[in-house]
Amino acid sequence: NMDGANSQGYYTMPPATAGEYVFGGWNRCDSHKRGSRELIGSIYTVAKRWKEKYPNSRFTIGDLNGADVRSYPEQGHQSHHNGVDVDIMVYGNPSATQIRASQEVNIELGKMFIDTGVIKLIIFGTNPADQRGIVVRNAWKEYANSKGLPFQTYAVSPHDDHFHVRINDQFRGPYDAPVPC
């Protein structure tokens, strides 16, 4: 149910049909709700699957293809500029993506993203020595390896309250610098 691509080849995240997700972070306008077809498809697929399993929980999509921070330093992340990166927060019952949330739930959500077959990286946790994050990240690595998928994960500040998800490089689009809202 995606609309057509914009002039740079990016697609807009379609409206949530059953409350699977909302927009947060920098996504205050349509120019910050775009990404590659594969990224949009991955988010949409996992959000729907999650909502079906956990009807009292939903995604908040943050910084989907954020602005060029060299041109607009008050907006976005430098890594979110070519259609392959997104920040995901999950609130409700259960919550996930927070370092203090259930390890099992965080592992399950990461596996759902890995199951899309296009996920390259999930950044999760701030302190690389935090045992909760180590357990989750190791479970993801083992799962991706069992499927023969290339995958990386690590902790870097500040990622204690969200997953930074990146899809494979072949889906990168041109450097996108949306206009400020």
Side-chain angles (χ1 to χ4, degrees):
N1 64 350
M2 281 190 273
D3 292 337
N6 69 4
S7 63
Q8 293 175 308
Y10 292 111
Y11 292 81
T12 301
M13 189 75 194
T17 57
E20 302 90 348
Y21 51 85
V22 296
F23 293 98
W26 300 107
N27 296 314
R28 295 181 294 241
C29 64
D30 286 343
S31 67
H32 296 200
K33 296 178 183 176
R34 295 189 184 129
S36 68
R37 174 187 286 270
E38 294 78 11
L39 180 62
I40 298 296
S42 295
I43 298 165
Y44 189 81
T45 298
V46 174
K48 287 190 73 67
R49 188 173 167 201
W50 187 263
K51 187 69 171 177
E52 287 171 8
K53 184 164 184 180
Y54 299 110
N56 295 319
S57 182
R58 77 170 172 202
F59 280 34
T60 296
I61 300 169
D63 221 1
L64 178 58
N65 211 46
D68 173 357
V69 295
R70 292 175 295 187
S71 300
Y72 307 107
E74 73 284 358
Q75 299 181 27
H77 294 70
Q78 192 157 0
S79 62
H80 295 241
H81 57 72
N82 55 13
V84 295
D85 293 275
V86 66
D87 289 336
I88 299 289
M89 291 75 60
V90 177
Y91 301 108
N93 185 16
S95 65
T97 68
Q98 292 89 33
I99 196 74
R100 298 198 184 280
S102 159
Q103 290 174 346
E104 292 78 19
V105 171
N106 279 325
I107 290 167
E108 179 180 15
L109 180 57
K111 286 180 176 181
M112 286 184 183
F113 275 106
I114 292 166
D115 282 342
T116 66
V118 298
I119 302 303
K120 171 185 178 174
L121 167 72
I122 301 175
I123 301 172
F124 177 59
T126 297
N127 179 352
D130 185 322
Q131 191 60 39
R132 293 170 297 228
I134 291 170
V135 168
V136 171
R137 291 188 303 272
N138 284 343
W140 292 340
K141 285 186 234 177
E142 183 178 314
Y143 185 72
N145 287 340
S146 76
K147 294 182 163 286
L149 297 171
F151 177 75
Q152 296 177 317
T153 183
Y154 51 84
V156 65
S157 182
H159 290 90
D160 274 0
D161 63 352
H162 68 282
F163 288 2
H164 176 125
V165 177
R166 178 175 294 155
I167 64 171
N168 294 327
D169 289 339
Q170 72 259 33
F171 304 118
R172 286 183 181 272
Y175 197 88
D176 185 22
V179 297
C181 300

